[in-house]
Structures are given as structure tokens and as C-alpha cells.
Amino acid sequence: MAIDLPGHGNDPGPMCDLHGDAARVAAVLDALSGPVVLVGHAYGGALITEVGSHRAVSHLVYLAAFALDDGESCGNVASREAASAGISHQGRPDLAAGYVPGPGGTVTLDRDVAGACFYQDCDPGTAAWAVARLGPQPLISLEQEPYVCAR
């Protein structure tokens, strides 16, 4: 099951921050009998980190995401990891370089950068289909720390 977050997919909005999106996922989980394997393939892993302590969740799978510790956000971890590892984007796509600022503190991604970063192994038709479905995201979401609760 793929959940449309507020303001995305078939949900008309309004968009939420990290905590509002986590509340939406938790509400869906409340209606399930469990156990649930929660897969984080977006949002840098922050969303499943916050929702991972839900009673229905048996496992978390971080797919191309950060397994954030208490006090970390996607933004500060990505910056710290890149700096400490000496990561260079020379000759390869840089996701942050594709950020396009929008109204109300949102950001979208340049379509070419999004395709190169997210869908590089897909055939061109599938990549174009997926990129066309990307939309604005509140930038604050990447700066917020997930609420991490002990089970």
C-alpha cells in the first residue's frame, strides 16, 4: 500500500510538515490489523523513523534513506555526511542543486535532476511518468527532527 501524503497524489491537501505527514501515516496504520513492514523510500527516512514506533509496525526498511538518530534531521545528516566523507558531485547528479524554490517555503525539483537522482535505472518512459508526479514539498520537512519514541 502506498499512502498519499496530505497535498500529494490523490489527496487534495493542504500539505503538511514532517509531523503532519507522520500523523497521516499513523492514522492509516491505526486502521490496519498489522503487522506492517514500513518501507521508507523517500523523505530521507525521516517519516518512517517517526512512525516506526506505531504498534502495528513490525519492521522498518530504509531504502535509499537515512536511519536517523534522536536529534538528527535529513538536512543536517546529509550536510554532515557529505562534508565528512568529502563527497563530490563532480560528474554525477547533485540533488540539492536541483532544488527550485517555490511559494510558501516549498521546494520542487528540476525534472532532469530528479530523473538522474531518483530514476536513473528506469527506462525513459517510466522515469518520465514518475518525474511528472513529483510535486512541491515544504522545505521545513527536511529540517525537522522526527519524534522518536521508544517501543
Side-chain angles (χ1 to χ4, degrees), residues 4-66:
D4 287 334
L5 298 176
H8 296 86
N10 290 324
D11 187 300
M15 286 186 282
C16 294
D17 63 2
L18 169 62
H19 310 301
D21 288 345
R24 165 61 59 80
V25 174
V28 171
L29 293 174
D30 287 342
L32 301 175
S33 59
V36 173
V37 175
L38 200 55
V39 179
H41 66 90
Y43 230 129
L47 187 59
I48 69 167
T49 296
E50 182 158 333
V51 184
S53 61
H54 189 280
R55 62 173 170 70
V57 176
S58 63
H59 293 84
L60 297 175
V61 177
Y62 290 86
L63 180 63
F66 298 113

Side-chain angles (χ1 to χ4, degrees), residues 77-92 94:
V77 169
S79 297
R80 184 182 69 233
E81 293 293 319
S84 67
I87 295 174
S88 166
H89 291 283
Q90 184 175 356
R92 58 191 181 98
D94 179 359

Side-chain angles (χ1 to χ4, degrees), residues 17 19 21 28-29 108 110 119 122 127 142 147:
D17 63 2
H19 310 301
D21 288 345
V28 171
L29 293 174
T108 56
D110 172 272
Y119 310 111
C122 295
L142 298 176
Y147 300 135

